[in-house]
Amino acid sequence: MTWIAKPPLHHPTLLRNKVGYTRRDYEGKISTLCAGCGHDSISAAIIQACWELDIEPHRVAKLSGIGCSSKTPDYFLGASHGFNTVHGRMPSVLTGANLANRDLLYLGVSGDGDSASIGLGQFAHAMRRGVRMAYIVENNGVYGLTKGQFSATADAGSKSKKGATNNDSPVDLVAMALQLGATYVGRGFSGNKEQLVPLIKGAMAHGGAAFIDVLSPCVAFNNHPGSTKSYDYVREHNEAVSRIDFISPREEITATVAPGEVVDVRQHDGSLLRLRSLHPDHDATDRHAAMAFMQEHQARGEVVTGLLYVDPLATDLHWALNTTGRALNALREPDLCPGAAALAKINASLR
Ligand SMILES: Cc1ncc(C[n+]2csc(CCOP(=O)(O)OP(=O)(O)O)c2C)c(N)n1
Ligand code: SF4
Ligand SMILES: [Mg+2]
């Protein structure tokens, strides 16, 4: 059915957001992924998040690598900027785009193969440098596109569809993002849209490197008993740390909740993350506590999901490099060439 184009006309009564768009305006082409693939649910959550955030589609740049996961930007935000890069190279291309034009909102979409194998170095440096973006890994524990080989996030002892055992230790991108200095770190599950949509909204509004690892079962190659990335396994072992509500700066804060149950975290743009703690011993604003909490629960075989860590005062690479506040691609010759007198002054200071 992938040759069928979506009809461009929408029903006139469809609900519009504050910038005048319907949810359909945030969709892309018809997906070519396998029916039931977790990645399609993540695309739906991204569409929902951007529509609810009232983001004008032309303000978003979506970049990806190679893989079934990296194909998904074709299926959402069809009116946004997009760049499908080389396998594992999304972070560096996104970094360059972000430095050239800081006025866009950057969405990096990747897979566990794309980010934890060939792109591990790229992932690490984007996180540690604080490149402002929402970096989403659609994690299924296999290379889906190339027919189901174990990826670097496959758990030791987990089994392939044909019964082979994976003996290698897994790379945990959440633990790495925390250690490397990412300032917004969460884990979601493609089967839990209620949790995923606000996680994505918080990441899009975040002022630094935001990372979300989304467990996203591959129904073709990794959804069998013995897999730790199947729908059944994740549902049975999921341990949610918090329930998150995202409140944009324009919304009135009306909910009243008993103190102690809720932590309000205000991000730099004024948006509010309202965290209803489901675990009294989890503090999402303490990086070291978040790491210890996650590793403790992981050792018990639990898959911890929710917002694990956030630094509301996050800074980004532009701040670190002290770049100009205006997008570089908007600077004209008079801005870039200060003139002969300024050059003479610089030369004199170097003599
Ligand atoms: C440089 C390079 N090496 C290898 C490949 C082959 N290749 C394509 S996709 C892929 C793995 C994709 O896995 P993942 O990122 O987990 O995405 P998924 O398909 O599982 O969503 C590989 C190894 C490639 N395209 N380019
Ligand atoms: S092969 Fe797996 S990851 Fe790729 S589209 Fe099919 S279910 Fe999704
Ligand atoms: Mg994969």
Side-chain angles (χ1 to χ4, degrees):
M1 303 290 274
T2 53
W3 62 89
I4 300 175
K6 283 189 182 175
L9 290 179
H10 304 168
H11 196 278
T13 60
L14 284 184
L15 197 60
R16 289 178 187 276
N17 63 9
K18 293 199 179 71
V19 285
Y21 295 107
T22 69
R23 195 186 167 287
R24 289 277 316 270
D25 294 319
Y26 294 79
E27 292 180 359
K29 292 182 190 148
I30 290 180
S31 172
T32 59
L33 303 186
C34 307
C37 176
H39 299 350
D40 278 334
S41 308
I42 302 172
S43 296
I46 292 171
I47 290 167
Q48 188 71 22
C50 291
W51 181 65
E52 286 180 12
L53 281 173
D54 303 315
I55 295 172
E56 292 163 304
H58 68 269
R59 288 194 53 231
V60 180
K62 42 176 188 161
L63 289 93
S64 62
I66 300 288
C68 298
S69 34
S70 291
K71 282 171 72 178
T72 63
D74 218 19
Y75 314 137
F76 57 78
L77 295 173
S80 298
H81 306 276
F83 199 135
N84 192 205
T85 72
V86 182
H87 196 25
R89 270 53 166 201
M90 174 276 287
S92 56
V93 178
L94 189 150
T95 302
N98 183 313
L99 285 174
N101 186 356
R102 64 187 300 165
D103 289 344
L104 297 178
L105 291 167
Y106 288 91
L107 181 57
V109 178
S110 182
D112 43 312
D114 200 58
S115 280
S117 294
I118 194 168
L120 190 62
Q122 297 242 338
F123 161 79
H125 293 290
M127 292 296 104
R128 63 178 270 277
R129 300 186 83 190
V131 180
R132 184 178 174 179
M133 63 162 134
Y135 190 141
I136 298 176
V137 166
E138 307 190 346
N139 184 358
N140 52 19
V142 287
Y143 297 167
L145 191 72
T146 53
K147 306 266 178 275
Q149 302 86 348
F150 286 125
S151 81
T153 66
D155 288 308
S158 63
K159 296 231 185 302
S160 74
K161 198 175 169 182
K162 294 220 162 132
T165 304
N166 174 47
N167 294 316
D168 299 335
S169 292
V171 166
D172 183 343
L173 292 173
V174 161
M176 285 189 74
L178 282 169
Q179 192 271 323
L180 288 161
T183 44
Y184 182 106
V185 182
R187 176 170 275 139
F189 171 41
S190 63
N192 186 351
K193 196 172 170 192
E194 209 180 306
Q195 181 194 52
L196 188 55
V197 171
L199 260 185
I200 295 172
K201 286 164 86 174
M204 296 288 287
H206 187 62
F211 176 72
I212 312 175
D213 179 55
V214 188
L215 295 162
S216 176
C218 167
V219 290
F221 300 109
N222 208 12
N223 197 34
H224 46 268
S227 159
T228 56
K229 302 278 190 286
S230 65
Y231 280 110
D232 284 350
Y233 186 92
V234 179
R235 279 199 190 107
E236 280 158 24
H237 295 80
N238 187 358
E239 195 58 38
V241 282
S242 55
R243 198 165 302 138
I244 165 174
D245 295 329
F246 177 90
I247 302 159
S248 85
R250 292 180 298 278
E251 285 170 56
E252 196 189 348
I253 300 160
T254 50
T256 47
V257 192
E261 286 179 20
V262 142
V263 184
D264 280 348
V265 181
R266 194 171 288 281
Q267 300 208 94
H268 77 114
D269 67 341
S271 64
L272 197 72
L273 300 173
R274 176 157 281 174
L275 297 171
R276 282 155 222 269
S277 185
L278 302 178
H279 277 271
D281 52 339
H282 176 248
D283 177 1
T285 57
D286 182 336
R287 184 185 295 275
H288 301 290
M291 283 172 94
F293 180 91
M294 206 196 60
Q295 278 162 356
E296 223 171 85
H297 283 257
Q298 215 152 273
R300 286 189 228 149
E302 293 165 4
V303 182
V304 177
T305 59
L307 180 61
L308 296 155
Y309 173 69
V310 59
D311 174 359
L313 304 174
T315 52
D316 77 338
L317 184 58
H318 281 282
W319 172 85
L321 296 178
N322 194 21
T323 57
T324 171
R326 277 170 61 198
L328 299 190
N329 67 349
L331 298 179
R332 298 288 165 255
E333 203 180 330
D335 307 307
L336 296 168
C337 179
L343 183 62
K345 204 171 153 195
I346 293 169
N347 283 342
S349 74
L350 296 171
R351 282 195 185 103

